[in-house]
């Protein structure tokens, strides 16, 4: 249980402990408790305060503790580090180097947060409050100029002016499709009927994506503020926030935020003393990726099965219960307050011609600095992956970056200098999507990647239209065969055909984009497919049916460790004599590679498989 | 008016119409599969894709609303490619062996009867061969091969329910059955299960349809484009080559139906662009060809019945009628043609004539009487089981969605899906009505809680209230002036019979000790005495000995008409020649009239003393249980459908006495225990069926003439010990 702590004005130091899901899973609450205990024990509690904040974004390095006002950044802090940290830094004033971020082996630790590459190159608009406020305390949000944009919108602007501002800012939907937000609001406003709804799409189903989760957990009020401004502009009386139930912390925080906002007269009847009334309900999803699709989402809110319906008619014409409904992503809503308070001109000065503002990406995969990054549109892939991400671990070679989750595509090395925006990504066959960015190195098999994503979309397909339900099934079957060494001539051409047809005739976005991973990997990595099919070779050494584990006779010292650890007794050899792996029995689990001592490194994978 | 272009042709449309509707109206063909007129647009099969100028990709025409200036193309290379793609995918999970086989026409000559094999893996083995929408589309889209791997769902064919089977290996997930069951019938029996490639259609928890409130109306079977849902009986009779439009005479609604015919044999009965019920859908054709149907005149010689020709039969008949002049009674069914009834009426000077059932005070039912903002109180009447097409018409005709409140001590199908169900103690219905329409607080006399009554009173506020009831099931109800009573009857020809102003009732006739001869036309009541001569004119033998049997034609084998509940005359069209030597009832009556000697005159019988109806709720030590009776509306002439057709027996269980667990425990009875149900004037032996639908301390029997003229009253139950 977190106790609400009010700021101690006399504190000379504030310790901000990250309480995003990642750090919480890594026991950051225990770290906080231990800090408070230790600080009290050292008699420092009158001068040093400890707070929890939302996700810092550098999730790989959690638990994270930041010391302000110095901006010292501590990472991977565990409970047992606390006494030393309190004594050394807080009492004696000597920051602890061992807890600081090191950009690489034999490189100096970087004490200040703003000097770390991961943070230096980011431009925080949506995540402006991350790491600096307690998301369960509305006063802190207000303290950081929260709800001032709302006041401006309600008292000094007309709905038409609000919409014009958002239009001129050039904000585009951050959920994936990138539709112009201002235009959508205008269409909804102009739709006939008095009853209107707005919806915040927090279903975030892409595997590996956690941008929306972070925003809801770290700064829920920014989303609420955006929604209230939007409701005023559109003329809606009721809003729904649809969050997937796999995000219990996000659900908890947004509900607390709503309660607090209602208490302060920011939600409910007569907001901020005006005659505008608006209320928000939180609805939880029930485990279906397809419910991130707007028509399925609306069906789910209405208590029906999450099955999409063809569009047109679009939700802005006919949405929830047949009424005009405006649906925007969490990140889109969170952009709105800044646009209103700092103006469209400011917002449109960031980004590229067609894509304004910033975008949050979840940078994951084979990358040194895993986490959430917010960068201006137009930044290149190279900058994100190498300057912010710190490059590929183990000095491996970059192979591809997958953007847009299961709806997106893989972008190869040659396109690393591609500036990131909606159009450029679509042109190369991928898409922005919700912002997933999975980095792949030389040990990633592109055929396997396509198979992985297609497996996902197959299982998540709602089953209504044959294009998606059966089109993805046929593609998965072919990819299964290819990765199993049973590919044959004609498979590639057939895959392409199915992919294109599924793309064109599927009912909803899930089916329409399901083929993208296949089509882009075929476009840029066709050779890899051909090797799988014709040479039965997996160059990345991933596909089990196409690889063999072998012991290099020149390197093996006969230490017998691998033979002892092998779970299927497939390794034979006398002590101090070269060992061999019996290919007929080997189950390719990889334990032998892991246990072979570093100095020998005698076990390796080869492809094609040996007999 | 909205103007748009389809294939460069200017067309006009109304706001809200779909492109498909507009195209069909202008005779522009767009292939479809999951679309069906009257159902909501699903957009799931992806076959009706069209291209629209300015749109990123093709869109389904059935879901696309029209807007001004649209430019639509319904044919193109791309559309053909995508339609083929989707149909081929659909066929990749639908057994299609014969569809693309190049031996198909050769094979056709030798495999006529293979439709009856248990596993369908191609057209030849499918009962819908020749009647399948997939076959039609394959031809249209010129599909010659299916490049996808085929997967069979390996599901067992669902054969455990009566009337129709389900082979979900053939299901293409178009959802038409789901939509018709939910949107049109309101039964809600079918829905999709799971999702993605595991998607299937089925019932809640995969229960048998008998346990889910399925009405077995056959709407899903009719609307299924493939052979996944098919009739069990007609599966064996082949595909029809023509049909005849006629009316269903099994109840007072008289729905329009089509009788499908193949080479002069009836195949099945089906709706005629309307909704019918299980009786009209599955009760007609199996009756006509029933193995127990008698189609030659039979005469008793010694202890046996022998086949005779019509002349012999009529000679015998006329001899006997003369012999018993003044002592002969005719008891005729209302389920004859109006022409037959008129013919019988013309014999009133010669015989004592009674009808079963009969009602001398009949008001036709009129939809015109019903205004919108309506609340219907269904009193002791199961509209869902007995009058479902009427219920559907009420729902659809009245603009504002009417509210249905059911008042019934029994938990009927109607009670289960009503907007509200009030359950009075048996016999306390009038008390409940009084409570409902009274002002202010009322006591708890009827056994319904004050809260429930208050809630229903709220529902009645500012509404037009109509009380619908089957007069057979409840007598003499009193209602305040502002509440309209709409008495209903399941009796066919109620109006013509009432116009006959018959002097005597069936009970009078069957009680009279002086009557020596009974001439039963379409009836088979329980007899209370021995008669010297019994003549039966019907399709099936009754359960008692008789002297002469005259085979009658069913209503599918004769031209004529009958009068329905609205007082309208419904046409009957002869679809096939009468089987064997069967003759229409009016032909037989005409023979009687022609050959009758003028000396035969009618007699007089006493009217049975109308006893005051015993108060059902006044149980006593002698008669501690309450017998609830309801008219059995599932009959044909003298017989219950259940006594003749197995499917109806499973559906209705109307040859049992029903009681609930509590009563069974009290009596120490189990399912099929034989009991005697004894009242002031009834005594009947029946097996038990334990059912939750019956209230405590009560038993239930479907009243049918074969059990005697039983009415609701206090009774005692005696368990009959089996002789070991």
């Amino acid at each position: 249980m977190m106790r609400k702590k009010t700021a101690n004005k006399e504190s000379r130091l504030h310790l901000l402990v990250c309480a995003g899901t990642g750090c919480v899973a890594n026991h950051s609450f225990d770290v906080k408790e231990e800090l408070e205990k230790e600080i009290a024990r050292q008699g420092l509690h009158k001068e040093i305060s400890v707070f929890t904040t939302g996700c810092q974004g550098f999730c790989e390095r959690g638990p994270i503790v930041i010391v302000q006002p110095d901006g010292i950044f501590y990472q991977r802090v565990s409970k047992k580090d606390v006494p030393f940290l309190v004594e050394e830094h807080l009492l004696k004033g000597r920051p602890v180097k061992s807890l600081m971020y090191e950009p690489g082996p034999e490189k100096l630790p970087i004490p200040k947060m703003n000097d770390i590459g991961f943070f230096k190159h980011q431009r925080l608009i949506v995540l402006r409050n991350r790491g600096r406020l307690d998301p369960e305390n509305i006063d802190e949000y207000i303290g950081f100029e929260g709800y001032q944009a709302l006041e401006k919108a309600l008292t000094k602007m007309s709905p038409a002016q609000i919409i014009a501002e958002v239009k001129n800012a050039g904000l585009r939907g951050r959920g994936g499709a990138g539709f112009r937000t201002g235009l959508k609001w205008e269409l909804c406003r102009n739709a006939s009927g008095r009853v209107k709804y707005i919806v915040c799409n927090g279903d975030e189903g892409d595997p590996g994506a956690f941008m929306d989760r972070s925003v809801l957990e770290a700064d829920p009020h920014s989303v609420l503020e955006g929604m209230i401004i939007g409701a005023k502009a559109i003329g809606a009386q009721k809003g729904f926030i649809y969050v997937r139930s796999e995000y219990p912390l996000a659900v908890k925080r947004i509900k607390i935020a709503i309660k607090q906002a209602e208490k302060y007269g920011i939600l409910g009847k007569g907001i901020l003393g005006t005659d505008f009334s608006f209320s928000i309900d939180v609805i939880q999803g029930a485990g279906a990726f397809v419910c991130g699709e707007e028509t399925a989402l609306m069906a789910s809110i209405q208590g029906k099965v999450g099955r999409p319906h063809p569009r047109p008619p679009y939700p802005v014409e006919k949405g929830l219960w047949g009424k005009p409904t405006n649906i925007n992503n969490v990140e889109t809503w969170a952009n709105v307050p800044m646009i209103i308070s700092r103006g469209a001109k400011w917002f449109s000065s960031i980004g590229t011609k067609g894509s304004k503002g910033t975008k949050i990406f979840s940078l994951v995969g084979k990358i040194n600095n895993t986490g959430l990054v917010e960068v201006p549109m137009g930044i290149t892939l190279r900058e994100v992956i190498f300057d912010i991400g710190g490059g590929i671990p183990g000095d491996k070679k970059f192979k591809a970056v997958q953007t847009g989750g299961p709806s997106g595509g893989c972008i190869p090395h040659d396109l690393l200098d591609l500036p990131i925006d909606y159009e450029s990504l679509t042109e190369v066959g991928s898409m922005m999507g919700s912002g997933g960015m999975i980095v792949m190195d030389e040990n990633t098999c592109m055929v396997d990647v396509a198979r992985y994503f297609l497996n996902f979309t197959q299982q998540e397909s709602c089953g209504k239209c044959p294009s998606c339900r059966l089109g993805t099934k046929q593609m998965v079957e072919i990819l299964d065969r290819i990765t199993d060494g049973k590919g044959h001539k004609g498979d590639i051409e057939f895959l392409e055909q199915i992919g294109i047809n599924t793309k064109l005739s599927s009912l909803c976005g899930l089916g329409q984009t399901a083929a993208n991973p296949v089509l882009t990997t075929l476009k840029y990595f066709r050779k890899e497919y051909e090797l799988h099919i014709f040479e039965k070779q997996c160059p990345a050494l991933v596909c089990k049916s196409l690889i063999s584990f072998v012991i290099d006779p020149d390197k093996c010292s006969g230490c017998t460790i691998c033979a002892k650890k092998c779970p299927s007794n497939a390794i034979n050899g006398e002590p101090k004599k070269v060992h061999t792996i019996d290919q007929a029995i080997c189950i390719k689990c990889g334990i032998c590679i892991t246990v072979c001592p570093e100095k020998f490194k005698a076990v390796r994978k080869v492809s094609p498989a040996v007999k | 008016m909205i103007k748009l272009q389809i294939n460069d042709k200017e067309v006009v449309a109304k706001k809200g119409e779909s492109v498909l509707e507009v195209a069909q109206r202008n005779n522009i063909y767009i292939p479809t599969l999951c679309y069906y007129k009257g159902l909501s647009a699903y957009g799931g099969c992806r076959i009706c894709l069209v291209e629209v100028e300015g749109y990123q990709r093709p869109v389904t025409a059935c879901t696309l609303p029209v807007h001004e200036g649209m430019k639509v193309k319904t044919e193109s290379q791309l559309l053909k490619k995508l339609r083929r793609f989707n149909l081929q995918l659909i066929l990749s999970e639908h057994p299609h062996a014969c569809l693309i086989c190049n031996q198909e026409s050769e094979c056709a000559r030798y495999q006529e009867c293979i439709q009856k094999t248990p596993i369908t893996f191609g057209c030849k083995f499918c009962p819908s061969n020749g009647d399948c929408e997939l076959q039609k589309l394959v031809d249209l889209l010129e599909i010659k091969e299916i490049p996808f791997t085929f997967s069979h769902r390996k599901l067992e064919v669902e054969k455990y329910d009566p009337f129709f089977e389900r082979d979900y290996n053939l299901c293409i997930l178009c959802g038409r059955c789901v939509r018709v069951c939910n949107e049109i019938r309101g039964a809600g029996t079918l829905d999709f299960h799971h999702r993605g490639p595991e998607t299937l259609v089925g019932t809640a928890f995969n229960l048998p349809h008998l346990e889910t409130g399925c009405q077995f109306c056959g709407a899903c079977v009719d609307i299924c484009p493939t052979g996944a849902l098919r009739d069990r009986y007609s599966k064996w009779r082949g595909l029809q080559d023509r049909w005849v439009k006629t009316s269903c005479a099994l109840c007072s609604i008289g729905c329009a139906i089509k009788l499908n015919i193949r080479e002069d044999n009836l195949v099945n009965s089906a709706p005629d662009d309307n909704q019918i019920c299980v009786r009209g859908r599955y009760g007609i054709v199996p009756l006509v060809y029933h193995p127990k149907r008698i189609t030659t005149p039979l005469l008793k010689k010694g202890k046996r019945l022998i086949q005779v020709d019509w002349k012999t039969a009529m000679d015998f008949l006329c001899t006997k009628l003369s012999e018993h002049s003044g002592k002969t009674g005719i008891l005729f069914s209302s389920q004859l043609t109006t022409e037959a009834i008129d013919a019988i009426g013309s014999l009133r000077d010669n015989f004592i004539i009674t009808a079963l059932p009969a009602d001398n005070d009949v008001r036709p039912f009129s939809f015109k009487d019903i205004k919108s903002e309506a609340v219907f109180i269904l009193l002791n009447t199961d509209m869902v089981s007995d009058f479902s097409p009427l219920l559907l018409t009420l729902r659809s005709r009245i603009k504002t969605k009417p509210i249905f409140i059911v008042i019934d001590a029994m938990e009927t199908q109607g009670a289960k899906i009503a907007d509200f169900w009030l359950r009075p103690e048996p016999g306390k219905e009038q008390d409940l009505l009084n409570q409902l329409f009274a002002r202010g607080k009322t006591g708890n006399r009827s056994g319904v809680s004050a809260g429930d009554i208050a809630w229903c009173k709220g529902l009645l506020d500012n509404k037009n209230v109509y009380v619908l009831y089957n007069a057979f099931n409840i007598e003499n109800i009193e209602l305040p002036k502002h509440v309209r009573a709409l008495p209903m009857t399941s009796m066919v020809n109620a109006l013509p019979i009432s116009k006959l102003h018959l002097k005597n009732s069936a009970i009078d006739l069957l009680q009279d000790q002086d009557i020596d001869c009974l001439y039963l036309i379409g009836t088979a009541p329980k007899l209370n005495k021995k008669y010297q001569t019994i003549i039966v004119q019907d399709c099936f033998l009754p359960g008692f000995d008789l002297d002469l049997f005259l085979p009658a034609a069913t209503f599918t084998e004769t031209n004529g008409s009958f009068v329905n509940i609205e007082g309208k005359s419904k046409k009957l069209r002869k679809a096939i020649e009468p089987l064997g030597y069967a003759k229409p009832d009016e032909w037989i009556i005409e023979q009687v009239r022609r050959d009758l000697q003028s000396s035969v005159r009618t007699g007089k019988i006493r009217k049975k003393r109308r006893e005051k109806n015993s108060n059902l709720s006044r149980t006593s030590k002698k008669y501690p249980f309450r017998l609830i009776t309801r008219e059995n509306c599932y009959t044909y002439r003298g017989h219950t459908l259940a006594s003749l057709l197995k499917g109806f027996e499973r559906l209705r269980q109307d040859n049992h006495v029903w009681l609930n667990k509590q009563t069974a425990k009290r009596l120490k009875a189990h399912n099929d225990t034989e009991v005697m149900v004894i009242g002031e004037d009834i005594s009947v032996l029946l097996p038990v069926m334990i059912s939750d639908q019956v209230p405590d301390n009560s038993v239930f029997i479907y009243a049918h003439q074969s059990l005697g003229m039983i009415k609701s009253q206090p009774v005692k139950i005696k368990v009959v010990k089996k002789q070991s």
Side-chain angles (χ1 to χ4, degrees), chain A residues 192 287-290 307-314 317 458-471 473-474 477 494 497-508 512-513, chain B residues 15 41-46 49 55-60 63-65 70 78 81-82 85-87 89-93 147-151 153 172-173 191-199:
Chain A
S192 60
F289 173 70
V290 71
R307 222 173 263 137
H309 192 82
R311 301 170 297 168
Y314 288 91
E317 267 178 71
Q458 235 277 280
Q459 284 178 25
E460 295 293 332
S461 166
C462 79
K464 183 165 163 175
C465 68
S467 325
C468 171
R469 173 181 89 234
L470 298 170
K473 180 165 172 227
Q474 293 289 329
E477 271 180 29
F494 196 36
Q497 272 309 301
I498 300 176
I500 293 169
N501 290 342
T502 303
K503 215 174 147 82
L504 287 173
S505 64
S506 286
L507 193 154
C508 79
Q512 285 160 7
T513 56
Chain B
K15 184 163 191 271
Y42 191 54
C45 69
R46 320 306 293 167
L49 291 171
Y55 281 39
Q56 231 188 338
R57 50 169 60 84
V59 193
T60 46
T63 57
L64 182 61
M70 241 177 155
L78 174 66
K81 177 174 87 146
L82 294 179
F85 174 67
N86 282 299
L87 189 58
L89 280 176
I90 290 172
L91 291 171
S92 75
E93 55 174 18
F148 302 113
T149 52
F150 171 67
S151 67
R153 292 194 185 110
I172 57 168
L173 304 173
D191 209 334
F192 288 104
H193 289 215
H194 313 299
R195 68 161 184 226
E198 318 290 324
T199 312

Side-chain angles (χ1 to χ4, degrees), chain B residues 143-160:
Chain B
I143 290 179
K144 300 279 186 285
E145 45 137 40
I146 293 160
F148 302 113
T149 52
F150 171 67
S151 67
H152 194 273
R153 292 194 185 110
K154 298 196 184 67
L155 298 166
E156 275 195 48
V157 178
E158 292 176 19
K159 294 188 181 162
Y160 40 78

Side-chain angles (χ1 to χ4, degrees), chain B residues 299 309-326 328 347 350-351 517-519 533-535 537 547-550 587-601:
Chain B
L299 183 59
D309 59 28
W310 273 106
K311 187 164 184 320
T312 316
M314 294 315 291
D315 284 342
F316 177 84
L317 177 59
C318 287
T319 312
K320 286 294 168 188
L321 291 177
S322 296
E323 211 180 287
H324 299 294
S325 175
T328 306
L347 293 172
N350 309 96
F351 306 101
C517 171
L518 266 190
Y519 181 6
T533 308
I534 297 180
I535 301 136
Q537 179 176 321
D547 299 284
L548 178 66
F549 186 90
L550 304 169
W587 181 92
I588 304 173
I589 308 290
E590 192 48 38
Q591 302 302 308
V592 171
R593 215 154 57 103
R594 199 190 53 183
D595 298 344
L596 199 60
Q597 280 151 34
S598 52
S599 59
V600 178
R601 306 304 307 167

